[in-house]
Amino acid sequence: MAQAAPRRQPTLDEVAERAGVSRSVASRALNNAPHVSRAKREAVERAVRQLGYVPNPAARALATRQTGAAALVVSGEDPSIFADPFYAQVIVGASTALEEADLHLMLCLAASDRGRKRVEELFRTKGADGVMLMALREDDPLAGIAEEAEMPVVFGGRPVGSTPRWYVDVDNVGGAREATEYLVSRGRTRVAAICGRLDTEAGRARYRGYRDALLAAGLDPLPPQEGDFTEPSGAAAMAVLLAHHPHLDGVFAANDNMAAGALRTLRSAGRAVPADVAVVGFDDLTVAQVADPPLTTVHQPIAALGREMARMLVTVVNGHDPTPLILPTRLVVRSSA
């Protein structure tokens, strides 16, 4: 008489599906890890009983090292950077996605020696289940630290000169190109660019989009006038541009903060916007709506950037290999151009 085939053992994924939770939550619940609600823990225990699930010892050993937290690491020294409207929206988006996976969000700054040492310690001790890494500059040592890390790392924006395995970015080139094309379509022929830091991929990519649009229109791009994405740097860059190119009639600024600074300098110089000089920004932050005049700008989905970074990280933590993601941008027309 033939023997019956052995019964297949249920998997952790099936337990998670039966309990209505993510795989990582199910794993932490089974291993009495922190940061799992009582309701979800009970749901997992009930699914285990119903399915007859028996944990794999090796998987259990791995799961007990989970921390229940994910880190957002930003290459910056000033703690107030997290109050910047851009990063505030990133944090909101990331927090929402991590909450769905029952992971807590840790915030880390890493540009000073002390900050980098803290981040190195985080990687060395695996003090988080994974890391989201943002605002890297060219030759930033954090990039090398991340490459050698034995934990998942998702990049927010690509580093200069490399393409990491997992990243979420926005269409910086396409957005800047659309902004410049709009200025040209409004009859502007002497268009300047206030670009972001050129040791960042976002700064370079947005200048590239500006340059490509002007060349396609048969116009000459001006050399980039660099700012650091802050309002004072935009004001200073605009003053330099007016001194060297007094007849310019259009400006593309690589973010809204610098565009707001450019508006202030133009007003002080007696230039009417948009009659004399049309201005377009990038980001679509609140400052764009309250600027005088309200700022035409490129909208990028900032909260979605944070949300998709966190979702990608959770996917990697759960043992999968997602593909990189580029988020679209769109032009928002207001009174400045």
Side-chain angles (χ1 to χ4, degrees):
M1 186 173 181
Q3 288 185 329
R7 181 176 178 271
R8 184 182 67 82
Q9 290 296 317
T11 66
L12 181 59
D13 286 323
E14 291 170 334
V15 170
E17 183 178 1
R18 176 69 66 91
V21 300
S22 69
R23 189 180 191 280
S24 61
V25 169
S27 177
R28 293 202 304 277
L30 287 172
N31 291 283
N32 296 316
H35 311 308
V36 180
S37 68
R38 179 177 178 180
K40 291 183 178 180
R41 195 180 298 276
E42 291 176 350
V44 170
E45 292 171 352
R46 186 163 54 250
V48 167
R49 291 194 301 270
Q50 293 171 350
L51 295 173
Y53 174 75
V54 179
N56 178 287
R60 176 182 287 273
L62 176 64
T64 55
R65 293 200 296 269
Q66 292 182 330
T67 66
L72 174 62
V73 177
V74 176
S75 186
E77 298 181 9
D78 184 359
S80 67
I81 193 172
F82 288 122
D84 181 286
F86 177 88
Y87 286 103
Q89 291 188 46
V90 170
I91 290 169
V92 169
S95 297
T96 300
L98 292 176
E99 186 175 306
E100 294 171 356
D102 267 12
L103 289 171
H104 287 260
L105 177 63
M106 301 165 53
L107 302 178
C108 304
L109 287 172
S112 65
D113 289 340
R114 177 179 296 182
R116 277 193 295 272
K117 287 179 181 178
R118 286 199 301 267
V119 174
E120 288 175 6
E121 181 71 7
L122 175 74
F123 280 117
R124 186 183 66 80
T125 63
K126 298 182 181 177
D129 290 347
V131 169
M132 296 167 285
L133 192 54
M134 297 190 72
L136 291 187
R137 297 187 295 273
E138 188 173 18
D139 300 326
D140 196 316
L142 277 181
I145 295 170
E147 288 179 2
E148 298 174 1
E150 296 182 0
M151 62 191 301
V153 179
V154 171
F155 287 77
R158 285 160 287 186
V160 174
S162 67
T163 302
R165 184 173 182 179
W166 300 302
Y167 67 84
V168 181
D169 206 348
V170 299
D171 186 7
N172 289 302
V173 173
R177 184 189 302 117
E178 184 179 14
T180 309
E181 288 172 344
Y182 179 76
L183 286 167
V184 172
S185 75
R186 305 298 289 177
R188 310 298 166 144
T189 59
R190 298 179 299 278
V191 180
I194 300 175
C195 64
R197 296 182 59 122
L198 292 175
D199 61 354
T200 67
E201 180 58 28
R204 293 184 181 185
R206 292 177 191 178
Y207 180 73
R208 197 156 61 243
Y210 152 85
R211 183 197 60 201
D212 291 350
L214 287 186
L215 290 174
L219 300 173
D220 293 328
L222 296 178
Q225 187 61 46
E226 188 173 352
D228 64 3
F229 295 112
T230 64
E231 192 269 353
S233 75
M238 190 71 250
V240 173
L241 285 171
L242 287 176
H244 290 96
H245 309 283
H247 301 298
L248 63 82
D249 58 7
V251 174
F252 165 64
N255 83 335
D256 290 343
N257 292 329
M258 293 192 298
L263 291 177
R264 176 162 60 86
T265 295
L266 288 167
R267 188 181 307 112
S268 297
R271 303 293 183 91
V273 177
D276 298 328
V277 181
V279 179
V280 178
F282 199 113
D283 281 343
D284 199 19
L285 300 173
T286 301
V287 66
Q289 301 173 37
V290 301
D292 182 19
L295 189 63
T296 294
T297 188
V298 176
H299 174 88
Q300 64 162 319
I302 303 172
L305 174 65
R307 184 171 61 250
E308 295 303 329
M309 285 169 55
R311 286 177 176 172
M312 184 175 290
L313 184 64
V314 170
T315 300
V316 177
V317 168
N318 287 339
H320 303 289
D321 187 14
T323 57
L325 180 62
I326 303 293
L327 300 175
T329 61
R330 59 182 172 85
L331 188 69
V332 178
V333 177
R334 298 192 179 98
S335 303
S336 69

